[in-house]
Structures are given as structure tokens and as C-alpha cells.
Amino acid sequence: MWRLLKHSAGVANHAAAELFPGYFAVIMATGATSIASYLLELRLMAIALLMANLLAYGILCLLTLIRLVRYPKRLVGDMIDHARGPGFFTIVAGTCILGTQLYIATGNDALAAMFWWIGVTLWFVIMYLFFIAVTTRAEKPNLSSGINGAWLLAAVSTHSVSILTALLPWSGSTDLRLFFAMCMFLIGCMLYLAIITLIFYRLTFLKVTVESLTPPYWINMGAVAIATLAGSTLILRANEGGILADFQPFLLGFTVFFWATASWWFPLLVGLMLWRHLIRRHRIVYEPQLGSMVFPLAMYTTGTLRLSAALNIPFLMRIPELMIWLALLAWIATSASMFHHFSRLARIPRA
């Protein structure tokens, strides 16, 4: 028993030391898949995913706290790194998506509000620490090695705050809450448009290798998928009147623009993935960033579903009714590979 406990502690300590900042993408992917399942009447699947997500979130928070206390230099080193630093935004997005998941699946306002406070606080801390750190860094990488799809997590995290803000009831002014939600939506749009320009340039004018074409590039699609959900949520709230009613035409046009952009990205990303693994024969192995591929599929499903309701165009529902199965298949495949990976790491060595 002592040997087992010692080994478990050693595994946990090693996991905390080497924890990839973007691991909370698992929470994002599971939460988005659960929300899509719930809205499409797959309630048992949604609740099962919620339970799994709460467990995973607790484990990742514990490992992050251990890393903060025992390995602060490694954590700071990741924060100021152009390639790894954007992964910290998955903590914000995962927290807010889990709060949204709780609100939609259980209707628990108080618990969802707690995640809102945590998410908003983390958004302010991580957003400004990261951008101040990379701006003032003395030595900076070139564009080829310094930027990837993970940078769009800054926009994803901002839109996740907007969605949860728009959904949650509170005791203050409704107009104030919805105005804040709209401002976060617009900030997320600004971040996406600024960052995607650099990423598109990097993909089309600089050399792309199978090693550099990693799963975070799927966030090119995921970021506009969650923007679609955020915009659709605001449109649905605008139908109730209040401050958002005057912005409804603007929100309609911008939201459809982002949905169309997400739809455009999907075939391109599939083609690039086929080029990477079928034509160039790059081996498929587990990596922490695989959740970045599941999240866009599930979020596109949910975003399209809510856009159909916001625009009152039922024919769009055919898309989420099909996409949910692709999202669930991707979630199962990545989860199985993750559990296999962790079981190998946690295996007790024989004497």
C-alpha cells in the first residue's frame, strides 16, 4: 500500500511539473459536447459528460495549484512563451464552458455563478499577464515559430465569458449585465480578426511542415464557432427587449459572418489533416492538444443549433443533427487515447 501511495504521489508530482498549459482544452471539448448533446435531447449522454467534466476539472485544478506552489518558475516560463503561453486561456474557457454546461444541464444558478466569478477573474489575470509578458519580452521568436492556432484561445476565452454572462440571471441591472456580455463578444471578435490575419499569413506564405501543423490549428474554426454561439445567445436575449434590441441588426450580420467563416474553415482543416496523416504519413499519436480538434466540432454543432433558433430558420437544424455524432465520435476517440496514455504513465514498475 505504501509503495502504491508513494508511486501515485510521484506520478502526480511529475504530472504537475510537466503539465501542459493547454490541458484544460479537455474541459472545453467535453463541455461543448455535453451542451450540444443536451440541446439535441441526448440528456443521459449530457449528464454523463458533465460528471466526467467535473472530475477532470478538479484534477486539473489540483495539478495546476501544485505546479503554482512547487514549480512557479516553470509556470512563469510557460506564461511568457509565445508558443505555450496561449494555452493558459483554456483555463478561462474551460471554467466558463463548464459553468454554462452546469447552467444548461442542471439549472443550478448559484453554482454556475461561482464559475462565472472564477472565469471572469481568471480572464483579467491571464489576458493581461500574457499580453504584457509577450509584449515586453526582450527576445522574441519569428512568426513561423511564435504563432499558431492556440493564440485564438484568447478570443475563445473572451466569448466563453460573454456566453455565460448573457445566460446567468443576477440581482443587478439586466442592461448592465447584457452590455458587459456584448462588450466581451466584441472584444473576442477583435482578438479573432487581429490574430487570424497573422495565422493565415503564416499558413499560406511561410513553410508548413507536418510537425508544425498541430491540432491547435483547429481553433481557427473553433474560435468562430463559439463566436457564433455568443452572438446567437445575445440575439435571443435581444428578442426580449432592453439594451440589446438596438444592436440586433448588427449582431445578426456579425453572427452569420462568423458562422459562415467557421463553415469555410471546416473542409480546409479536414483537407490539411488528410495531407498530414495520409499523404505525408505522419503518425497519429496522443498529445494534450487533441482536445483542440474535438472542441470546434462540438461548438460548431451548438453554435449552428442556436443560430437556427435566433434566425428562426429550421433548415439549419440538419447540420447539428449530423455533426453531434461526429463530435461524439471524436470525443470518444480522443478520450480513449488519453486514458491509454495515462494508464501507461501510471503503471507501477515491477520489482
Side-chain angles (χ1 to χ4, degrees):
M1 178 62 71
W2 170 248
R3 185 181 173 214
L4 177 62
L5 291 174
K6 185 177 179 181
H7 177 76
S8 299
V11 169
N13 186 64
H14 176 75
E18 302 296 331
L19 186 66
F20 179 68
Y23 242 121
F24 278 81
V26 173
I27 309 300
M28 294 165 52
T30 306
T33 307
S34 174
I35 292 168
S37 299
Y38 190 88
L39 294 176
L40 288 167
E41 305 295 331
L42 301 173
R43 301 293 168 83
L44 290 178
M45 175 63 71
I47 297 300
L49 289 171
L50 173 60
M51 296 298 104
N53 221 19
L54 287 169
L55 176 62
Y57 185 82
I59 292 172
L60 287 173
C61 284
L62 177 61
L63 292 175
T64 302
L65 288 173
I66 293 173
R67 194 167 195 245
L68 178 63
V69 172
R70 300 199 62 179
Y71 307 99
K73 289 184 178 180
R74 292 193 182 190
L75 189 143
V76 172
D78 284 342
M79 175 64 74
I80 65 174
D81 186 87
H82 279 67
R84 292 172 65 88
F88 284 98
F89 287 111
T90 62
I91 304 175
V92 180
T95 299
C96 290
I97 290 173
L98 181 55
T100 302
Q101 185 185 4
L102 280 164
Y103 177 77
I104 290 175
T106 68
N108 192 321
D109 297 349
L111 193 55
M114 181 189 74
F115 279 93
W116 182 86
W117 282 108
I118 296 171
V120 170
T121 302
L122 288 171
W123 183 87
F124 276 98
V125 172
I126 293 173
M127 179 67 67
Y128 291 103
L129 278 180
F130 171 72
F131 279 106
I132 289 172
V134 296
T135 301
T136 58
R137 182 177 172 181
E139 297 182 4
K140 299 182 182 182
N142 57 36
L143 190 63
S144 180
S145 60
I147 195 167
N148 56 54
W151 274 69
L152 290 170
L153 288 166
V156 171
S157 65
T158 308
H159 283 136
S160 71
V161 173
S162 174
I163 294 166
L164 187 54
T165 303
L167 288 175
L168 279 180
W170 71 337
S171 57
S173 167
T174 300
D175 279 350
L176 175 60
R177 174 169 59 89
L178 294 179
F179 182 73
F180 176 70
M182 185 175 65
C183 287
M184 295 300 283
F185 169 71
L186 293 175
I187 292 170
C189 294
M190 176 274 295
L191 289 168
Y192 179 82
L193 294 173
I195 295 169
I196 197 62
T197 304
L198 297 174
I199 291 175
F200 198 80
Y201 175 82
R202 190 256 180 272
L203 287 174
T204 54
F205 287 94
L206 301 179
K207 184 178 180 181
V208 174
T209 64
V210 292
E211 290 77 21
S212 65
L213 197 64
T214 52
Y217 278 110
W218 277 80
I219 305 173
N220 296 0
M221 173 188 171
V224 273
I226 195 172
T228 302
L229 178 58
S232 299
T233 304
L234 292 173
I235 292 168
L236 291 170
R237 295 308 311 269
N239 292 335
E240 303 170 10
I243 191 172
L244 290 182
D246 293 335
F247 295 92
Q248 191 169 24
F250 166 77
L251 291 170
L252 282 167
F254 226 34
T255 302
V256 173
F257 164 75
F258 281 121
W259 178 83
T261 304
S263 302
W264 179 85
W265 270 114
F266 182 52
L268 177 60
L269 291 169
V270 171
L272 291 174
M273 184 178 69
L274 293 176
W275 171 82
R276 187 186 193 217
H277 296 294
L278 293 183
I279 297 177
R280 299 303 299 271
R281 306 283 184 174
H282 186 74
R283 185 184 175 191
I284 300 176
V285 294
Y286 173 76
E287 53 184 306
Q289 303 175 100
L290 280 179
S292 301
M293 297 178 66
V294 182
F295 168 74
L297 300 175
M299 190 52 69
Y300 183 73
T301 302
T302 307
T304 306
L305 191 153
R306 301 308 287 165
L307 181 64
S308 175
L311 300 180
N312 194 24
I313 44 177
F315 63 79
L316 276 182
M317 281 299 298
R318 294 181 181 274
I319 296 174
E321 288 170 356
L322 294 174
M323 285 293 295
I324 183 60
W325 302 110
L326 180 59
L328 285 170
L329 180 62
W331 185 87
I332 291 170
T334 55
S335 297
S337 62
M338 180 179 68
F339 287 133
H340 176 69
H341 174 74
F342 286 148
S343 65
R344 292 180 60 190
L345 291 179
R347 190 176 300 154
I348 301 176
R350 296 180 180 179

